Amino acid sequence: MDVFLQQLVNGLTIGMIYALIALGYTMVYGIAQLINFAHGEVFMVGAYFGLFAYSILTPLLSSPGSATLGVFLVFLFAMTLSALLGVVIERFAYRPLRHAPRLAPLITAIGVSFLLQNIIMLVFGPSDKSFPSLIESVTYTAGSVTFTNLQILIAASSVLLMISLHVFIRHSRTGKAMRALADDRDAANLVGVNTNRIISVTFLIGSALAGAGGVMFGMYYNTINFHDGYLAGLKAFTAAVLGGIGNIPGAMIGGLLIGVLEGLGAGYLSSEWKNVFAFFILILILLFRPSGLLGARVVKKV
Amino acid sequence: MRFFHSKIKIRHLATAFLLSALAGCSGESSAPVIKIGCAAPLTGDQAQLGLDLCRGLELAVAETNQQGEIIPGYKLEALLLDDQRNPAQAVNVAKKFVSDSDVMAVMGHFNSSCTKPASAIYYEARLTELTAGSTNPELSKQGFDTFFRVSATDDVQGPSGAKFAAHQLGLKKVFIIDDKTTYGKGLADEFKKEALKLGMTVLGHESITQGDKDFTPLLTRIKPLAPEFIYFGGIYPEGALLLRQARGLGIPIPFIGGDGIATLILVELASAPIAEGTYATMVGGDVEKIPAAKDFIAAFRARYGELGQWSAYSYDATNILIAAIRKAGVKNREAILKAMREIPSFTGITGEVKFNAIGDNEKQFIGVFQVQNGKLVYIGPAE
């Protein structure tokens, strides 16, 4: 039982990060009907932005009084730059293809992802980079379940970000416009919703969340590499599909589920097949519930 | 995805044709060369190991050229190609070496999984291949007379690790983890055989995936089994993560691994206090303490800074190839291969190398290194 709880705690931690990335996939799909395969790379670049911010803010982070502020600034820096990166990608890689056949932006997305990987490889070098923990590690024990303050930080800030996102989408004017655009693009345009602006905002938010996920990923595993975005992005995409692509709460639940199922699968069945579980789930979902757990059945408009 | 690869390849080919056409026009003025290839992972998570290897080779080549022409009329040149620790890419690299008529010998590859398919290509082209890093025992049993190695084989290294743990540390309960690669699994399997022979309790043997980051599920399962140590057959990126995550879960037991984790980058990635106490077996002893290696170390430091864990071995390996080329005295692959077979024994900076009938080194000495105060310290022979 204790082992089970420990696996659950670990699975939830990585699940939070998957969920943050999955939100970007699902929001962009919901509004622009585009699978942004470069999103995993934005996540990876976000981790490198975090590393860069750390190298600037080292004096701030090393003095005990301002360490919290330092961590906050690292996140803010990585999120802001990732957000800008997302907007730039949308502006130059996807917007010119807005009315092209759906395959075209998909191919562009793969191109952008290669481009970002190789830029990072050239700038930061090909080998693993050591990523600082940023905070002094404290281990807590409850029963025989151990967890660290870092895991709490990841969970708390992920939940905070997700709640803010939910409030923003539900209650702000822009959020309302996003939902309108997702429902019916033509009707939204008729009542004055600016498609380009809203899509930019969507990329901005999605990429900022991915950037935050990247920094958490770096802090949690302490090493980052230019190809880390690939697998993490693929799993987050699976999470988005699992929850029902286009559905925001679905992406959150999907991310957590993927993290936990993967942890339990690797823990109880075979660690050798760890990566297989996520994709096995993807196949099952596509076979039996293609619209995902929370996805509405899409009625084809005639 | 395939589509993109092939498209890129076509562009590469086109560029290569253009370049070779240009070279054909203007290349005649330069002196004739003999090239020694270095095949290793130069990008990706194992890039540091590849750099360690190829720098040792470059240094040996530079020193040879300083002494004059290697054989009358020829200068020596290093040709570095990146196999990305990917067997498919290793095959491409091998084909490139084979098709370059100036390449007379290859030092590489590093990963056994890369050496395996590549060695068949070198064999067909009669190109001498000497590896300083691949340790899988099967490699020399493929019947390729072009294959040589200076590194210890896993069927020597794995059991040595088990003997060291049993005899010198007195440990009895082990959990084995490997990374599913030809090297990692091979090493772990050989370790396990010997461990069982020595009466150790093997609590389990599990695999992880190279490139993965999260091993907490496996470590969480290991924790209640309470092993006395963990044996890891694999390379340092996963080794560092395993160490970190084990300590995070409150598993304080020592790790023992092979030459794949015998590098300072393990310490850097895991952070010095966490890697502290980790053991790694590796062919040879402490290079720094060998008097013959003093000049090499000084020259290497002057050129590249920090001494790589593998550089002395690739330096020796390259010098063996250079000796064979000198002995052959002609720029001919078959002649150099014949000379290589006839080298009785070679004393380099890391000790004596003597090839047996299948190209393996008869003089395999396994030492144990331990991370102490953030450095890899030689603590004695593994027995």
Side-chain angles (χ1 to χ4, degrees):
Chain A
M1 191 62 198
D2 293 333
V3 174
F4 177 78
L5 286 176
Q6 184 72 58
Q7 300 283 22
L8 211 59
V9 168
N10 298 334
L12 281 173
T13 315
I14 183 67
M16 291 284 180
I17 300 177
Y18 289 154
L20 282 179
I21 317 172
L23 284 170
Y25 276 109
T26 219
M27 283 166 60
V28 166
Y29 183 83
I31 288 162
Q33 264 80 52
L34 161 75
I35 305 284
N36 176 16
F37 273 118
H39 191 62
E41 260 55 58
V42 174
F43 154 81
M44 175 274 294
V45 177
Y48 276 91
F49 283 145
L51 187 64
F52 182 63
Y54 166 78
S55 64
I56 300 172
L57 297 169
T58 316
L60 200 64
L61 282 155
S62 48
S63 72
S66 55
T68 319
L69 176 69
V71 174
F72 178 74
L73 286 178
V74 168
F75 270 94
L76 192 69
F77 184 88
M79 287 173 74
T80 313
L81 285 190
S82 305
L84 286 177
L85 178 68
V87 172
V88 168
I89 292 173
E90 192 277 326
R91 177 66 189 81
F92 292 103
Y94 303 140
R95 193 177 294 179
L97 297 170
R98 183 83 30 93
H99 301 290
R102 285 180 71 170
L103 201 56
L106 200 69
I107 292 169
T108 316
I110 295 169
V112 170
S113 108
F114 281 163
L115 183 74
L116 290 177
Q117 277 188 24
N118 284 289
I119 290 175
I120 290 295
M121 191 186 87
L122 287 174
V123 175
F124 289 90
S127 44
D128 281 27
K129 286 272 163 219
S130 179
F131 197 98
S133 304
L134 298 182
I135 52 171
E136 195 73 36
S137 180
V138 184
T139 306
Y140 304 99
T141 314
S144 66
V145 177
T146 56
F147 52 96
T148 59
N149 52 348
L150 184 62
Q151 286 177 307
I152 298 173
L153 176 80
I154 290 175
S157 43
S158 304
V159 169
L160 188 74
L161 286 170
M162 289 182 213
I163 291 173
S164 329
L165 177 71
H166 184 77
V167 170
F168 179 80
I169 301 255
R170 279 288 135 199
H171 302 290
S172 77
R173 211 179 146 77
T174 314
K176 206 176 271 178
M178 287 167 82
R179 282 185 288 137
L181 208 54
D183 273 351
D184 188 332
R185 184 183 287 189
D186 294 332
N189 286 344
L190 280 177
V191 295
V193 172
N194 182 337
T195 313
N196 280 338
R197 198 180 79 83
I198 297 302
I199 290 183
S200 283
V201 171
T202 310
F203 270 84
L204 186 100
I205 298 171
S207 305
L209 294 176
V215 176
M216 291 178 197
F217 186 83
M219 289 169 76
Y220 194 47
Y221 293 124
N222 297 99
T223 64
I224 51 173
N225 194 293
F226 69 93
H227 48 60
D228 280 347
Y230 174 71
L231 199 59
L234 219 50
K235 283 188 187 156
F237 172 67
T238 307
V241 174
L242 174 62
I245 192 139
N247 184 306
I248 289 174
M252 301 180 192
I253 293 169
L256 293 179
L257 269 178
I258 291 282
V260 168
L261 288 175
E262 196 179 79
L264 293 179
Y268 285 101
L269 297 172
S270 163
S271 61
E272 196 172 343
W273 297 98
K274 178 165 164 268
N275 290 330
V276 176
F277 296 114
F279 303 124
F280 183 64
I281 297 164
L282 179 66
I283 294 170
L284 287 186
I285 287 287
L286 288 176
L287 280 177
F288 296 108
R289 206 179 151 81
S291 52
L293 294 177
L294 302 188
R297 197 163 291 276
V298 181
V299 182
K300 199 149 182 105
K301 288 171 200 144
V302 187
Chain B
M1 296 291 259
R2 278 265 155 250
F3 173 73
F4 298 103
H5 279 301
S6 61
K7 196 171 177 187
I8 289 165
K9 225 179 271 169
I10 288 166
R11 191 169 300 163
H12 272 300
L13 277 178
T15 323
F17 275 130
L18 274 176
L19 283 177
S20 60
L22 285 173
C25 302
S26 60
E28 299 305 321
S29 58
S30 63
V33 290
I34 286 179
K35 291 182 191 165
I36 297 187
C38 181
L42 296 172
T43 61
D45 49 8
Q46 294 178 9
Q48 191 59 48
L49 294 178
L51 284 176
D52 284 1
L53 285 164
C54 289
R55 284 174 173 171
L57 176 133
E58 283 182 319
L59 186 60
V61 166
E63 285 178 0
T64 307
N65 280 333
Q66 269 168 20
Q67 293 159 18
E69 292 168 340
I70 174 162
I71 55 175
Y74 290 97
K75 278 192 86 64
L76 200 57
E77 203 176 287
L79 176 60
L80 278 52
L81 289 181
D82 177 16
D83 68 17
Q84 301 167 7
R85 73 148 165 78
N86 173 346
Q89 188 60 26
V91 169
N92 286 337
V93 164
K95 284 180 178 161
K96 260 188 202 154
F97 280 136
V98 163
S99 61
D100 184 336
S101 59
D102 287 333
V103 174
M104 287 296 122
V106 172
M107 204 277 299
H109 297 227
F110 178 73
N111 292 274
S112 296
S113 44
C114 290
T115 305
K116 203 165 194 178
S119 56
I121 294 163
Y122 298 128
Y123 171 69
E124 277 167 29
R126 312 303 298 148
L127 187 57
T128 306
E129 176 200 14
L130 174 57
T131 176
S134 295
T135 51
N136 189 276
E138 298 304 316
L139 295 174
S140 50
K141 293 173 187 156
Q142 301 179 93
F144 299 151
D145 63 351
T146 46
F147 177 84
F148 299 87
R149 75 170 128 207
V150 294
S151 46
T153 43
D154 297 335
D155 51 3
V156 178
Q157 197 190 160
S160 300
K163 283 178 202 154
F164 169 75
H167 297 155
Q168 297 192 27
L169 301 177
L171 299 172
K172 290 197 174 54
K173 289 197 292 178
V174 59
F175 196 99
I176 304 172
I177 302 175
D178 72 52
D179 68 358
K180 275 192 288 195
T181 60
T182 312
Y183 163 73
K185 192 174 179 323
L187 187 63
D189 287 347
E190 296 295 341
F191 171 88
K192 189 174 172 180
K193 267 190 235 162
E194 184 70 23
L196 290 171
K197 233 187 268 171
L198 290 169
M200 278 192 203
T201 314
V202 177
L203 297 168
H205 182 174
E206 278 277 348
S207 300
I208 55 165
T209 305
Q210 228 180 5
D212 201 357
K213 292 252 162 178
D214 189 12
F215 308 120
T216 44
L218 174 61
L219 291 166
T220 303
R221 175 145 54 99
I222 293 175
K223 193 182 174 188
L225 300 174
E228 289 170 346
F229 72 106
I230 289 175
Y231 188 82
F232 175 56
I235 316 277
Y236 66 86
E238 288 77 29
L241 285 166
L242 277 168
L243 271 166
R244 265 195 169 278
Q245 291 168 16
R247 301 300 180 250
L249 289 168
I251 306 175
I253 57 173
F255 275 65
I256 302 181
D259 44 8
I261 63 166
T263 166
L264 280 178
I265 320 147
L266 175 90
V267 182
E268 190 202 315
L269 289 179
S271 87
I274 282 178
E276 206 61 19
T278 301
Y279 298 98
T281 54
M282 191 173 168
V283 60
D286 188 0
V287 178
E288 308 238 4
K289 291 207 180 96
I290 302 171
K294 273 226 165 64
D295 290 344
F296 161 76
I297 294 171
F300 193 94
R301 290 226 165 100
R303 208 178 155 110
Y304 302 110
E306 192 72 36
L307 178 68
Q309 191 72 13
W310 287 94
S311 308
Y313 302 98
S314 68
Y315 177 81
D316 268 0
T318 312
N319 278 325
I320 294 173
L321 292 172
I322 290 169
I325 297 171
R326 281 216 172 101
K327 193 165 185 280
V330 285
K331 186 180 174 181
N332 177 295
R333 286 179 182 171
E334 195 73 57
I336 290 166
L337 180 59
K338 189 163 168 285
M340 186 80 177
R341 289 245 150 252
E342 287 166 357
I343 285 182
S345 83
F346 179 93
T347 308
I349 54 169
T350 58
E352 198 187 351
V353 174
K354 190 173 187 313
F355 297 118
N356 64 13
I358 54 172
D360 279 340
N361 185 359
E362 280 179 6
K363 311 277 180 190
Q364 297 189 13
F365 170 82
I366 308 287
V368 182
F369 290 79
Q370 188 183 25
V371 181
Q372 291 176 2
N373 301 319
K375 293 251 175 288
L376 271 177
V377 179
Y378 175 69
I379 57 169
E383 53 194 24

